[in-house]
Amino acid sequence: MANDPTSELTSRSATDTRFFGHPAGLSTLFFTEMWERFSYYGMRAILLLFMTTAAAQGGLGWDAAKAGPIYGLYTALVYLTALPGGWLADRLIGQRRAVLYGGIIIALGHLSLTFHSMAMFFLGLFLIVVGTGLLKPNISTMVGSLYTQQDQRRDSGFSIFYMGINLGAFLAPLVCGYLAQSEGFKGTLQNMSFRPESSWHWGFGAASVGMALGLVQYVLGSRRLGKAGLLTQESRDPEAFRKDLRVFWMVLGGAVAVLAALAGLRTSGVLDFTLDGVVEVVGAVLILFPVVYFVFLLTRPGWTSVERKRMGAIVLFFVFATLFWAAFEQAGSTLTLFAERNTRTSLLGFDFPSSWFQSVNSFFIIFMLGPFFAWLWIRLGSREPSSPAKFAWGLVFATLGFIIMIAAARASGPEGSQVSPMWLLSVYFVHTIGELCLSPVGLSTMTKLSPERVVGQMMGVWFLATACGNFLSGQAAGFFESLPLDKLFGRMTIVGLAFTVLALVLIRPIKRLMGGVH
C-alpha cells in the first residue's frame, strides 16, 4: 500500500482545506469545468437556432423536422462518448491525461465551427463529441477522488463543483448569444467590413476561446491535484484491458449488424445513407446500447452480492435520470424554438436575444435556488430525503414544467402569437428545482455506489443517461412544426406523470438495493 498513489492522496486530502475548506485540487477542477461548460453551453445555446435560420441570414435553413433530431443526436453523442472515455481513462491513460486531451480536441472542434462550411460544421460537431467524451466523466471522477468515502465534505465538494458548471453555463449564452444574434453586434461587423450574417460563427468562436482558457488554467493548476487522476497498478492490468476491448467491440458490432440488417430490409436491401438515415440508425443504436451494456455488466463475474445489488440500483437510477434529462434538455430544443418563435424577447423595455433564455436556469441555481437547497439539506439533517426520493421529486418538477407549457402553448394561440417571457421563466424555475433535486445527488451517488475498479465507467453510465435523454429531447423537437404545441407538451406530460408515479413507488426497494449508501 505504500506505493499506492490513491492511498497517498487519501491521507493528504483528508487534512487539505485550502479551497474554502476543501482540497486545493478542487479549485483547478472547478475552473476547468467552468470553462468547458462555457464552451459547451455557449455553442448549444445557438446551435439549433443556427440550423433553423434561413441561409440568407447565415444559418443552414433546415426545418425543425430535420434540425431537431440532428441536434438531439449530437447532444446525445456528446454524453454517450463519456462511457468509452471513462473506460479509456480507467484502463489506459488515466483521468489526468484524458481531461487534457479532451479539452484540446473540444477547442479544435469549436474552432472548426467558426468556418462557414458544411464539412467544417460536421467536423466541429464530431471533435466536440470526442473531446467531451474524454473530459466530462473523468473530471467528475477526479473530484470524487479528492475525498475518502467517509469524508463528510464529499457532497459539499460536488455542490461547489456543480456551481462551476452553472457559472460557465450562465455566462455562455449571454456572450455567445449576443455575438450570434444581436443586431448591435451585426452592425459592428458591418462597420468593420465583415458580413453581418457571419455573426453565428463569432458566437461559435467565443466558445473555442472559453475552452482554450480552461486548458491554460488546467495545466497551470495541475500541481494542486497531487496524484489525483493517475492510474493505479490495478487499473494497468493488460489482460483485463484486452478482455474488455474484445467484448466491447463484439457487443457493439453485433448491435450495429442487427440494426443494419433491419434498415436494409426496410429499404429493400439498400441502406439509406442520407443524413436522416444516419440519424435514424445511430439513434436506434443509442437506445439499444444501454440495454446491451447493462446485460454485459451485470453478468460479468467477480461482483460481490452487495456490489451486484448496488449495480441494480444504478440501473434504476439510469432509467429515471434518462426521463428527467429528456424533459430538462428541452431547454435547448423545443423551449428554444418556443422562445424564438412564440415568446416576446423583451422585458421591462429591454430587448434581448432568444438564446439568453438558456442562462435563466443557471441564474436560478447560482443566485437563488442553489444556496437555498444547500441550506435546506443541512437544515433537514436526519430528515433529509434519500437519493431515490430526490430522484422522484426531480421527475415531479420536470413534469410540472410541461403542464405550464401546455398553458403557454394555448396562450400563444393557433397563429403562434408571442406570449409573455414569464411563461418560460416559470418553466425554467420549476425545472431548476427538479435539477437540484436530482443532478448533484446523481453525480455523488454514482461515485459512492460504484466499485472503485470501474468508477470511471460508472460515471460514464451516468452521462449515458444524459445522452439518451438528449436524443429523446431532439426527437421531440422534430415535431415542433407538425403537431399543435399544446398536444406536443401534453404528450410529454403524460409520459412524465407515468414515470413519476413509478419512481415514487420504488423509493424503498431502491434504498434496499443501495446497501447502506445514502
Side-chain angles (χ1 to χ4, degrees):
M1 293 295 292
N3 295 324
D4 184 355
T6 303
S7 176
E8 181 183 341
L9 173 67
T10 295
S11 62
R12 278 206 320 271
S13 64
T15 57
D16 187 353
T17 59
R18 288 177 289 170
F19 184 63
F20 298 103
H22 291 265
L26 183 61
S27 64
T28 298
L29 301 178
F30 175 96
F31 288 109
T32 304
E33 181 71 346
M34 182 196 77
W35 284 113
E36 186 275 329
R37 291 291 88 183
F38 176 94
S39 71
Y40 175 75
Y41 283 106
M43 179 266 204
R44 193 197 75 161
I46 61 177
L47 179 59
L48 188 60
L49 297 173
F50 170 68
M51 289 191 287
T52 55
T53 295
Q57 297 174 332
L60 297 181
W62 295 344
D63 59 21
K66 180 177 182 178
I70 292 173
Y71 167 86
L73 183 60
Y74 157 71
T75 54
L77 290 175
V78 160
Y79 289 100
L80 177 64
T81 51
L83 192 58
W87 171 73
L88 282 171
D90 282 345
R91 295 299 193 196
L92 192 62
I93 61 176
Q95 284 87 21
R96 183 83 65 90
R97 289 182 178 177
V99 170
L100 176 62
Y101 299 160
I104 293 171
I105 296 171
I106 290 169
L108 292 174
H110 288 299
L111 184 63
S112 298
L113 295 176
T114 63
F115 296 94
H116 189 69
S117 160
M118 190 66 71
M120 296 299 288
F121 174 74
F122 284 109
L123 175 62
L125 297 186
F126 173 76
L127 291 174
I128 296 169
V129 164
V130 173
T132 307
L134 284 170
L135 186 149
K136 188 63 178 165
N138 293 303
I139 195 169
S140 300
T141 301
M142 289 173 68
V143 173
S145 72
L146 295 175
Y147 305 91
T148 65
Q149 290 286 354
Q150 295 74 32
D151 195 329
Q152 295 184 349
R153 300 175 298 168
R154 189 184 186 90
D155 282 3
S156 174
F158 270 101
S159 295
I160 293 173
F161 180 71
Y162 203 68
M163 292 298 285
I165 293 174
N166 283 281
L167 182 58
F170 169 69
L171 296 172
L174 301 180
V175 175
C176 299
Y178 173 81
L179 295 176
Q181 290 186 284
S182 162
E183 293 299 326
F185 183 69
K186 290 179 181 179
T188 300
L189 289 177
Q190 193 166 20
N191 292 336
M192 296 171 62
S193 300
F194 290 105
R195 295 184 302 113
E197 59 269 22
S198 70
S199 61
W200 296 102
H201 303 287
W202 288 80
F204 293 135
S208 181
V209 171
M211 188 65 255
L213 291 173
L215 283 169
V216 172
Q217 188 278 147
Y218 181 70
V219 172
L220 293 178
S222 61
R223 64 185 183 278
R224 302 190 189 99
L225 297 172
K227 296 184 182 296
L230 300 179
L231 284 175
T232 64
Q233 190 62 38
E234 180 184 4
S235 297
R236 293 179 185 274
D237 184 351
E239 181 58 33
F241 175 80
R242 287 192 292 268
K243 181 179 178 181
D244 280 352
L245 186 61
R246 287 195 300 268
V247 174
F248 174 79
W249 286 116
M250 287 174 59
V251 171
L252 184 60
V256 171
V258 170
L259 289 166
L262 292 174
L265 289 174
R266 185 178 64 83
T267 56
S268 302
V270 179
L271 284 176
D272 179 8
F273 282 111
T274 64
L275 188 58
D276 293 340
V278 171
V279 170
E280 182 179 337
V281 172
V282 177
V285 172
L286 175 65
I287 298 301
L288 179 63
F289 184 79
V291 178
V292 176
Y293 179 77
F294 279 125
V295 171
F296 157 67
L297 196 64
L298 293 172
T299 55
R300 286 180 63 183
W303 304 120
T304 66
S305 60
V306 172
E307 287 175 337
R308 197 174 297 277
K309 287 181 180 179
R310 288 178 177 175
M311 298 295 284
I314 287 175
V315 172
L316 292 171
F317 281 135
F318 173 89
V319 173
F320 296 135
T322 295
L323 267 295
F324 174 81
W325 294 121
F328 182 83
E329 292 297 339
Q330 299 294 323
S333 57
T334 57
L335 298 187
T336 288
L337 293 175
F338 191 87
E340 174 71 10
R341 303 179 185 185
N342 301 81
T343 304
R344 293 195 304 273
T345 52
S346 63
L347 189 64
L348 301 176
F350 175 73
D351 295 329
F352 54 89
S354 61
S355 54
W356 280 19
F357 275 107
Q358 295 189 52
S359 286
V360 172
N361 163 252
S362 296
F363 174 85
F364 284 142
I365 290 177
I366 296 170
F367 299 106
M368 294 175 60
L369 295 174
F372 171 76
F373 271 81
W375 168 85
L376 178 64
W377 300 143
I378 295 174
R379 179 69 175 175
L380 289 174
S382 61
R383 296 174 295 164
E384 180 181 355
S386 64
S387 297
K390 290 177 180 178
F391 267 66
W393 279 109
L395 288 171
V396 167
F397 286 103
T399 304
L400 178 59
F402 289 117
I403 294 175
I404 296 173
M405 283 306 303
I406 294 173
R410 291 177 177 173
S412 69
E415 292 79 23
S417 58
Q418 294 185 327
V419 299
S420 167
M422 295 306 297
W423 287 107
L424 280 178
L425 294 179
S426 300
V427 173
Y428 281 119
F429 183 79
V430 296
H431 276 191
T432 302
I433 294 176
E435 181 189 7
L436 287 170
C437 288
L438 183 144
S439 188
V441 177
L443 281 170
S444 181
T445 301
M446 285 293 132
T447 63
K448 290 187 286 187
L449 286 176
S450 304
E452 185 176 349
R453 60 191 180 278
V454 293
V455 66
Q457 292 180 58
M458 290 302 98
M459 192 58 68
V461 166
W462 172 250
F463 293 115
L464 178 59
T466 310
C468 293
N470 272 276
F471 177 74
L472 295 174
S473 169
Q475 292 297 306
F479 294 101
F480 191 88
E481 295 169 344
S482 59
L483 274 179
L485 294 182
D486 58 342
K487 290 185 178 180
L488 176 61
F489 293 120
R491 292 180 182 181
M492 297 179 191
T493 300
I494 292 172
V495 174
L497 286 173
F499 279 89
T500 297
V501 171
L502 181 61
L504 291 169
V505 170
L506 291 179
I507 288 176
R508 288 189 177 180
I510 294 176
K511 287 174 66 176
R512 290 194 292 269
L513 289 174
M514 294 173 70
V517 173
H518 297 289

